[in-house]
Amino acid sequence: MASSRKKDWRDEVKRVPLSEEDLKEWHCLKHLNRIVPIAPKEDEARFDGKTWEEVKEIVSNTPIGTPTSQLEEEILFSEFGNVLKVRTMLPSKLYAMAKLPDPEFLLQGFKRGTCGLLSSSGGSGKSFLALTIAMSMADTTNTLPSLNGLVQSRGGVLYLSNEDDKDVIDYRVWRILQHRVDQGFITNPNPVAKSLDHNFIPIDVVAGFRREAKFLIAEGNRVKNTGLARALETLIKEKRHKYDLDIKLVILDTLSRFHALDENSNKEMTLLVGLLGDLARSANVGILMIHHSSKAGALNYKNESVSARGASALVDNVRYHLTMSSVTLQKKSNLSKDKEEMATFEEEDKQNLEAIFENEPNRDEEIERLQALAQNKDLVRLNLSKQNLGKSAMPLYFARFRHGVLDVVKEVIPEPEPEDDLPF
């Protein structure tokens, strides 16, 4: 009878309906089922007389929701015990889901449904870079490049400009497209233009919403919600259902114009990011906020999460942070005193660029060309400073072309990752 009850229990579990909240919870917890601790020396590891492969097989074959007491073999090694504990903590009804969809990453390390930040000093080209990212994502023909794997999904993009009007945005978009034609990425512009017409939606926010576009404003000692977040969520849902357009990314350019709070207040910036985070989750979009760097951050661009202007809570509460700045050179004297000092790349930048052009026969010439660009402040470094849900990655380098257009110094097709590799 006992064995019969166990079989019936599993059959009943598979028939348990999952609510929308359960599905969201399961989506967040799905990778716990795939966690396998790594032994220091796999070939020599022994746990209770078992090899690494034997222990790993026991752990991976343990059904979610199975009480530890029912395991045929008990593993006393602490790390594997923790994995089994996590598996037994999951609600048994979630065992009904045998396979889960992978989370969707819009940019490298930037998950859909979360908030991110792109910060740089004024005039560095962050709006051009944001437009370049938006256009690559909105091009569902996959003709525009992925910017060395930075763009990882294609679909609808809502670009809210609270700084430049639509004429300026259209001009910049045209310049970016013309650059892609000149570079040879686009031979027939019509399919790309048609895809952008449908998937890329630039909005002059003040004109589009017919009011001052602020998410939060300060009234005395209180912070007031203006309802802009609700209006934006309604707009996103309307685009999805009425126009069959799946909005995946929302870009706010620039963040300081979307609120009337004290930028240096941790409390108020926490409220702002919290509101936008709720919007990102409820509308299932990634929200990328364009922001200015602090003076100290502009001088030190090397992977500094503290470089964003204002309260530290702004960076602390987002899940993703890109920092952008012009590459600086260091002066190095020649042996001959008669020659002027030569400006060269700092060691870290030099090693990164050599790796990018590793297989190029004219590598040294390319690095010299980039050095000349850096001399004129036309070489930009993009750091993936914070990726709560991503892996560490090498900085990306962008060259500035005519009319301010930014493009990666060399488009490299990234190698596909193993299918069983964890995304974070």
Side-chain angles (χ1 to χ4, degrees), residues 83-180:
V83 174
L84 295 177
K85 182 179 179 182
V86 169
R87 296 166 73 90
T88 56
M89 286 172 61
L90 295 178
S92 60
K93 64 181 179 179
L94 297 182
Y95 184 58
M97 299 289 290
K99 184 174 176 59
L100 298 161
D102 286 328
E104 183 175 2
F105 285 85
L106 306 180
L107 305 179
Q108 186 176 0
F110 183 34
K111 181 179 173 293
R112 186 173 182 176
T114 63
C115 284
L117 196 68
L118 167 60
S119 64
S120 73
S121 57
S124 61
K126 55 184 176 294
S127 292
F128 252 115
L129 178 61
L131 278 173
T132 303
I133 290 172
M135 291 169 63
S136 289
M137 183 174 293
D139 173 32
T140 53
T141 68
N142 293 304
T143 303
L144 295 178
S146 67
L147 306 176
N148 284 351
L150 178 64
V151 176
Q152 298 198 340
S153 182
R154 307 274 177 156
V157 179
L158 199 59
Y159 190 97
L160 279 71
S161 175
N162 215 347
E163 195 166 53
D164 298 312
D165 58 34
K166 191 173 182 298
D167 290 341
V168 173
I169 297 174
D170 289 343
Y171 174 79
R172 289 174 173 174
V173 168
W174 184 85
R175 286 296 181 187
I176 294 171
L177 280 176
Q178 187 60 48
H179 170 76
R180 295 303 185 194

Side-chain angles (χ1 to χ4, degrees), residues 255-377:
L255 179 63
S256 61
R257 292 179 176 265
F258 283 94
H259 68 86
L261 306 180
D262 181 3
E263 202 173 61
N264 296 305
S265 168
N266 278 313
K267 179 181 179 181
E268 294 185 4
M269 289 301 99
T270 299
L271 291 174
L272 176 63
V273 178
L275 174 68
L276 294 176
D278 291 341
L279 171 62
R281 286 187 291 273
S282 60
N284 193 24
V285 295
I287 297 180
L288 184 64
M289 301 170 281
I290 312 301
H291 190 51
H292 292 281
S293 295
S294 63
K295 292 182 179 179
L299 295 174
N300 186 2
Y301 62 89
K302 292 186 177 179
N303 204 18
E304 291 292 329
S305 292
V306 295
S307 65
R309 190 181 68 190
S312 60
L314 188 56
V315 174
D316 293 341
N317 286 279
V318 297
R319 311 296 289 168
Y320 186 72
H321 186 200
L322 297 172
T323 56
M324 173 183 170
S325 181
S326 297
V327 174
T328 58
L329 299 177
Q330 62 180 357
K331 291 186 177 180
K332 184 177 181 181
S333 299
N334 269 337
L335 296 177
S336 173
K337 295 182 179 180
D338 297 332
K339 295 183 178 179
E340 296 181 357
E341 288 186 328
M342 296 177 59
T344 60
F345 284 120
E346 295 186 15
E347 189 61 31
E348 182 180 352
D349 290 320
K350 181 180 179 182
Q351 291 177 359
N352 291 337
L353 291 170
E354 286 178 346
I356 292 174
F357 292 97
E358 181 179 7
N359 298 321
E360 295 293 322
N362 57 339
R363 185 186 70 175
D364 293 339
E365 290 81 357
E366 288 291 343
I367 292 179
E368 286 183 7
R369 178 182 65 84
L370 296 177
Q371 194 165 282
L373 288 175
Q375 190 78 41
N376 295 325
K377 305 296 183 184

Side-chain angles (χ1 to χ4, degrees), residues 44-101:
E44 300 176 2
R46 293 290 187 276
F47 309 105
D48 300 334
K50 302 177 184 62
T51 65
W52 162 262
E53 291 298 331
E54 290 172 339
V55 172
K56 189 166 65 172
E57 183 177 359
I58 293 173
V59 174
S60 62
N61 290 334
T62 303
I64 298 172
T66 301
T68 308
S69 59
Q70 293 185 14
L71 293 177
E72 295 181 2
E73 300 187 56
E74 184 177 0
I75 302 171
L76 301 179
F77 183 63
S78 60
E79 291 298 322
F80 285 96
N82 289 338
V83 174
L84 295 177
K85 182 179 179 182
V86 169
R87 296 166 73 90
T88 56
M89 286 172 61
L90 295 178
S92 60
K93 64 181 179 179
L94 297 182
Y95 184 58
M97 299 289 290
K99 184 174 176 59
L100 298 161

